[in-house]
Amino acid sequence: MSSLESKGDGGKWLDAHYDPVAGLYTFSSCVDLADLSGDGDSRLVVGDLGTGSTGMKLKVYRGTALMSESTLLDLPAGLVALFIDQFEPRIPVVAVASGPCVYVYKNLRPYFKFTLPTLEINPVEQAMWQQVREGQIDPVMLKEMLEDVRKKADVPLSDRSLRFLSLAADEVDEFVQLHKQQPIRRQTVIICIGTLKKSTADEDGISCLVIGTENANVFVLDPEAFNILSKMCLPAVPTMMDVTGQFDVEFRITVACRNGSIYILRRESEKPKYCIELPSHPVGLVRVGKNVIVGCSDESLQGFTQKGKKLWRIPLPAPITTMAAMELPARGLQAVLVGLANCQVQLYRDKNLLSTIKTPDAVTSICFGRYGREDGTLIMTTKGGGLMVKILKRTAAFDERDGAPGPPLAQSVRLNVPKKTKLYVDQTLRERENGLAMHRAFHMDLSRMRLAAARTYVKVLESSLTPMSCSLSEPLKMNAVVQGLGPSFKLTLNVQNTASCRPVMNLAISFLYDDNLYRIRNAYMRIPLLVPGLIYPIQTFVECVSDKGVSDIIKVFVLHEEKSAPLLTAHINMPVSEGLTLS
Amino acid sequence: MGLFDKLVGWLRLKKEVNVLCLGLDNSGKTTIINKLKPSNAQVQDIVPTIGFNIEKFKTSSLSFTVFDMSGQGRYRNLWEHYFKEGQAIIFVIDSADKLRMVVAKEELDNLLNHPDIKHRRIPILFFANKMDVRDALSSVKVSQLLCLENIKDKPWHICATDAIKGEGLQEGVDWLQDQIKTMRT
């Protein structure tokens, strides 16, 4: 048992299968479990994204083996299995949404393709392309006119016009020749897909498809005829969707949108009834019972009622990668699984952490349900394309541990208070006895020190020895850096004008040094105009001419060209030259 | 079991043995028991067992009473109520179901660690069933996956079987019969 405990999930899960090289790249929205042959043996249906541009496949797993594989035409946005007819045996169809279409597979064969209705086209745009076809306007003029329409009109341009506007001048003619004969169309694409029971709540009842599109609409489709039963509008583009209820009775569609809000749609209303505004973007949306659990990009999990009232918020140890609901009605278990970027999957019932599963890689999709003949199966795919199947033990019981973590760890750390020795006690005794004399002596010394400091300061100001200039007309700062081992050194002076908006002009630099020891290439330099804020590195080369291994101080003066008193001064202690001059 | 019961047991002419038939759902327990019955008593249609069935069959010297338990998850907690009565266990494994081999192992471990079973030296017969399925595991592989070599204190035996044709069943039942006889003497 101890080996199981050390795995971190409390020995509640059985490792049924792990294939680290399954090559499954997918998200939770593209994974579903369904009894595709009607024999009571559930299969795993996965819309594999491949590399994102090639190798999109519809894969079906049975047990530990890949059962079938068929190529998808486009990147899948979502995949659901649903019943669309009453025929026996009850075999569900698989609906894969990609681009503007929903491909429906029956018995894993293409059965039906539903395409979203095209959107209305700007009449002005249509007229323009008509004129192009008739040869009345040339591409350059078309470009100008389309640009006008794009800025003014409230109906957006079609894909073709937008593509045309982005072309370079030499590609325009060819593009127009190629496309002018075809009528223009404007289409939208499907972002998310869900299912909604038509009239019964049975597990194998007929379901409607629910589709969220890029132009912020939600459609409910008829299961038999695939026409649109209901159309709803959202204020923003939907990204995730959760559907409950029955279409004929009452339903709720909870939609997370790209603007960071969650909208709740109900029957008989075209517009969302409730809105939840989140402080950060939603990355996972799961409904557990009557509550909506949202995973946010600020590493937190939040619970809301179905009317949008916030119930709780808990921080998570890492960013969320995916979320899924875990429902096992036979054991009365309703919880939410959260995949984290730190290679963990955490199980929460409301706001209580029930268990943590450690995974060898970050999980990108989670699916919990009946797989094969086992009801409590957890299927996960990892970032590296691995497939992991875990089965909940029959004897596993989830008890809510106390959510409060107890006193913080810092409380038990002892404070670092230094100890006092006998020396300290003796000192305090002396202070107690001779307090008056000590006070007087100290104040006398302090006054003397102030005097000495003031004297030195005045002396420094008089001879401008400071590397900071405090005069109001030329606030300057300078520091000097010496690089190299010798005999030649590189001397860099960083001069900066610290005024807020006044440039400084007509400055020069002069060096004072011992001729016998050093040679400087140009001992007098003019400084360019100093723009406030910038640091000007001014470089020169110093060569040590002595072979005695002695070093000296070089003084640098920054002066105004008309005045002889230096503005600021720097003293550079030259390092000992570690080489010999060749000359 | 009182002294009187034991006396009655010994005095029986044909000895009766209670056997528990366990295993996950869809592993073929009812089919195996059905195949062991005399051919005129066999049923044609086999449906998933609800709760459990009591079946009887005879071999040359023993009369077996089999508790054919349902293997569905929700009925598996019934198993332990019959552990006391069992004098032998037949454990059926679907060798084509690689995914649930861990579940079978888990149930077997629960069984072996149960206080009613743990300290009794009762024979366990494993049937690695569905050998006819194309990608079925061999009986050696099944015994490896179930860690059968760790069972030290009980006699056990594993047979590869095909319950529909009845292949391999007789070998297993003969072994079980020998074990029960040696235990009695």
Side-chain angles (χ1 to χ4, degrees):
Chain A
M1 210 52 194
S2 62
S3 68
L4 286 174
E5 295 288 350
S6 65
K7 277 195 301 188
D9 56 12
K12 292 183 177 76
W13 299 90
L14 297 168
D15 290 320
H17 179 59
Y18 177 49
D19 181 2
V21 289
L24 273 180
Y25 301 95
T26 187
F27 298 112
S28 290
S29 58
C30 293
V31 182
D32 206 357
L33 293 163
D35 181 6
L36 290 180
S37 54
D39 58 359
D41 201 352
S42 266
R43 315 286 157 88
L44 172 70
V45 196
V46 183
D48 189 352
L49 306 175
T51 58
S53 54
T54 56
M56 289 81 78
K57 282 191 171 132
L58 180 69
K59 293 182 173 174
V60 180
Y61 277 81
R62 177 175 190 264
T64 56
L66 182 65
M67 201 179 78
S68 89
E69 201 177 51
S70 49
T71 308
L72 290 173
L73 295 175
D74 206 349
L75 205 64
L79 179 152
V80 284
L82 73 164
F83 292 98
I84 56 164
D85 51 35
Q86 288 285 15
F87 300 133
E88 294 284 340
R90 308 287 292 146
I91 293 178
V93 298
V94 178
V96 183
S98 49
C101 306
V102 179
Y103 298 92
V104 180
Y105 290 80
K106 200 172 191 176
N107 290 319
L108 292 176
R109 283 192 187 84
Y111 170 66
F112 188 77
K113 175 180 155 186
F114 167 80
T115 310
L116 286 174
T118 51
L119 307 172
E120 60 164 327
I121 299 160
N122 194 329
V124 183
E125 185 194 354
Q126 190 144 32
M128 270 182 227
W129 280 98
Q130 177 73 30
Q131 282 174 329
V132 170
R133 198 185 314 166
E134 287 160 7
Q136 288 171 351
I137 48 176
D138 62 337
V140 182
M141 204 162 145
L142 175 70
K143 196 160 189 168
E144 274 169 29
M145 286 159 79
L146 281 176
E147 203 75 62
D148 258 17
V149 176
R150 188 172 73 93
K151 279 174 194 150
K152 284 177 199 146
D154 46 353
V155 178
L157 289 177
S158 67
D159 287 344
R160 193 209 295 179
S161 298
L162 291 173
R163 173 105 177 80
F164 173 75
L165 285 180
S166 71
L167 286 178
D170 54 333
E171 295 167 318
V172 166
D173 278 325
E174 198 184 337
F175 184 82
V176 171
Q177 290 306 320
L178 197 65
H179 292 282
K180 68 178 181 187
Q181 292 306 327
Q182 290 136 16
I184 51 171
R185 293 192 304 164
R186 200 157 71 86
Q187 262 190 332
T188 182
V189 291
I190 300 171
I191 305 292
C192 51
I193 186 168
T195 60
L196 173 62
K197 290 274 180 292
K198 184 84 170 42
S199 50
T200 55
D202 300 345
E203 196 128 284
D204 59 351
I206 292 183
S207 303
C208 308
L209 272 180
V210 185
I211 291 172
T213 64
E214 177 69 40
N215 65 337
N217 281 332
V218 171
F219 296 108
V220 180
L221 302 184
D222 183 72
E224 271 142 11
F226 281 98
N227 49 9
I228 292 168
L229 284 178
S230 165
K231 177 187 170 184
M232 285 162 273
C233 296
L234 288 169
V237 182
T239 56
M240 282 170 290
M241 193 158 58
D242 185 279
V243 191
T244 52
Q246 289 113 52
F247 180 75
D248 291 337
V249 190
E250 173 65 63
F251 62 85
R252 270 166 215 270
I253 305 176
T254 315
V255 196
C257 289
R258 239 175 246 167
N259 63 352
S261 296
I262 290 172
Y263 297 99
I264 298 165
L265 295 158
R266 290 176 64 178
R267 190 182 150 80
E268 314 263 308
S269 69
E270 270 210 359
K271 292 255 179 285
K273 198 160 161 91
Y274 303 107
C275 169
I276 306 168
E277 287 188 350
L278 298 169
S280 57
H281 280 266
V283 289
L285 176 78
V286 163
R287 181 182 274 266
V288 175
K290 285 197 163 180
N291 295 342
V292 180
I293 316 281
V294 184
C296 288
S297 56
D298 62 350
E299 302 181 18
S300 71
L301 201 63
Q302 310 195 6
F304 296 91
T305 63
Q306 58 183 354
K307 287 192 174 174
K309 206 165 137 197
K310 185 168 171 180
L311 295 172
W312 45 262
R313 177 188 186 276
I314 40 169
L316 296 171
I320 299 174
T321 55
T322 186
M323 279 172 69
M326 171 171 165
E327 282 188 44
L328 206 56
R331 288 192 228 167
L333 190 67
Q334 278 194 325
V336 55
L337 288 154
V338 184
L340 300 176
N342 62 354
C343 300
Q344 283 186 351
V345 176
Q346 297 193 327
L347 178 67
Y348 286 91
R349 181 194 283 153
D350 286 335
K351 54 180 173 178
N352 299 310
L353 178 63
L354 295 182
S355 102
T356 304
I357 305 166
K358 290 211 170 68
T359 54
D361 193 2
V363 164
T364 55
S365 86
I366 300 178
C367 185
F368 182 86
R370 182 180 170 86
Y371 181 47
R373 302 186 63 89
E374 200 63 40
D375 276 324
T377 311
L378 173 65
I379 297 163
M380 298 177 276
T381 63
T382 60
K383 208 170 160 187
L387 173 70
M388 213 182 312
V389 181
K390 284 177 183 281
I391 295 176
L392 187 64
K393 276 190 193 175
R394 184 169 63 88
T395 49
F398 292 104
D399 50 336
E400 274 160 44
R401 270 165 285 167
D402 192 9
L409 199 69
Q411 221 172 63
S412 54
V413 177
R414 287 174 62 107
L415 289 180
N416 191 14
V417 182
K419 276 184 184 151
K420 293 183 178 69
T421 56
K422 188 164 177 295
L423 186 70
Y424 173 83
V425 179
D426 291 348
Q427 287 280 13
T428 52
L429 273 176
R430 202 167 66 82
E431 268 175 38
R432 211 177 291 168
E433 283 157 17
N434 314 319
L436 200 64
M438 279 170 145
H439 181 79
R440 278 186 188 148
F442 173 73
H443 272 270
M444 176 71 104
D445 288 349
L446 185 63
S447 312
R448 278 191 184 141
M449 196 179 80
R450 278 179 182 153
L451 181 66
R455 261 186 198 148
T456 317
Y457 186 57
V458 168
K459 209 165 102 191
V460 163
L461 280 185
E462 274 171 354
S463 52
S464 296
L465 286 170
T466 53
M468 295 270 290
S469 145
C470 309
S471 75
L472 286 174
S473 55
E474 280 102 10
L476 288 178
K477 210 166 98 176
M478 179 175 73
N479 67 2
V481 181
V482 179
Q483 288 167 315
L485 296 173
S488 22
F489 301 92
K490 185 172 160 190
L491 180 64
T492 311
L493 302 166
N494 293 313
V495 186
Q496 190 189 4
N497 178 2
T498 55
S500 56
C501 56
R502 254 183 65 175
V504 180
M505 284 174 288
N506 297 333
L507 292 183
I509 284 183
S510 156
F511 295 94
L512 181 68
Y513 58 97
D514 186 348
D515 289 1
N516 301 325
L517 284 176
Y518 298 107
R519 198 163 57 217
I520 294 183
R521 197 172 289 175
N522 31 7
Y524 176 81
M525 286 183 286
R526 293 166 64 101
I527 300 180
L529 178 138
L530 294 177
V531 173
L534 295 182
I535 295 173
Y536 288 78
I538 294 161
Q539 296 167 349
T540 188
F541 289 92
V542 180
E543 210 164 321
C544 182
V545 289
S546 152
D547 52 358
K548 304 231 165 49
V550 285
S551 66
D552 195 19
I553 291 175
I554 295 181
K555 293 179 184 171
V556 187
F557 305 105
V558 175
L559 356 104
H560 217 274
E561 280 189 348
E562 278 117 47
K563 295 172 201 160
S564 60
L567 277 168
L568 34 119
T569 316
H571 289 200
I572 304 155
N573 289 311
M574 291 303 288
V576 174
S577 169
E578 291 179 28
L580 291 171
T581 41
L582 292 172
S583 56
Chain B
M1 202 184 260
L3 186 66
F4 182 72
D5 291 337
K6 277 181 183 167
L7 272 173
V8 170
W10 288 331
L11 288 171
R12 286 261 167 86
L13 285 174
K14 197 148 191 176
K15 290 167 188 164
E16 282 218 1
V17 188
N18 287 334
V19 181
L20 292 178
C21 186
L22 307 175
L24 300 186
D25 50 316
N26 200 38
S27 58
K29 296 174 292 299
T30 310
T31 315
I32 285 178
I33 304 303
N34 190 46
K35 208 73 194 176
L36 290 172
K37 289 198 288 189
S39 56
N40 55 358
Q42 285 181 10
V43 292
Q44 289 304 311
D45 291 329
I46 299 200
V47 291
T49 309
I50 306 294
F52 67 95
N53 294 327
I54 296 178
E55 305 280 0
K56 285 185 190 333
F57 69 90
K58 287 185 180 126
T59 57
S60 51
S61 58
L62 291 172
S63 160
F64 287 95
T65 305
V66 186
F67 290 82
D68 178 15
M69 312 290 298
S70 172
Q72 292 176 39
R74 57 190 146 167
Y75 294 120
R76 272 180 230 157
N77 47 6
L78 289 179
W79 291 5
E80 56 186 278
H81 298 289
Y82 300 90
F83 285 170
K84 271 203 178 75
E85 282 96 88
Q87 287 152 297
I89 290 172
I90 297 173
F91 199 93
V92 186
I93 302 128
D94 178 355
S95 26
D97 192 352
K98 287 172 211 157
L99 189 76
R100 291 207 301 162
M101 211 50 86
V102 279
V103 185
K105 180 180 182 325
E106 168 73 12
E107 293 299 344
L108 179 66
D109 290 345
N110 284 349
L111 165 78
L112 294 174
N113 290 326
H114 194 272
D116 289 344
I117 299 285
K118 197 168 185 178
H119 302 295
R120 289 166 62 200
R121 205 185 130 76
I122 54 172
I124 307 178
L125 173 61
F126 293 94
F127 281 132
N129 196 21
K130 304 200 189 179
M131 270 302 149
D132 51 319
V133 177
R134 195 160 52 89
D135 49 356
L137 298 169
S138 69
S139 56
V140 178
K141 190 78 191 154
V142 170
S143 61
Q144 263 174 15
L145 285 174
L146 295 185
C147 302
L148 297 185
E149 68 275 9
N150 293 350
I151 308 175
K152 299 277 185 344
D153 54 345
K154 292 179 182 61
W156 60 270
H157 182 70
I158 184 162
C159 301
T161 59
D162 171 6
I164 295 172
K165 294 204 189 86
E167 283 166 17
L169 295 180
Q170 201 51 49
E171 180 209 336
V173 175
D174 289 345
W175 176 85
L176 198 62
Q177 186 178 304
D178 292 346
Q179 286 296 319
I180 290 165
K181 276 185 187 160
T182 51
M183 277 174 71
R184 292 289 169 88
T185 50

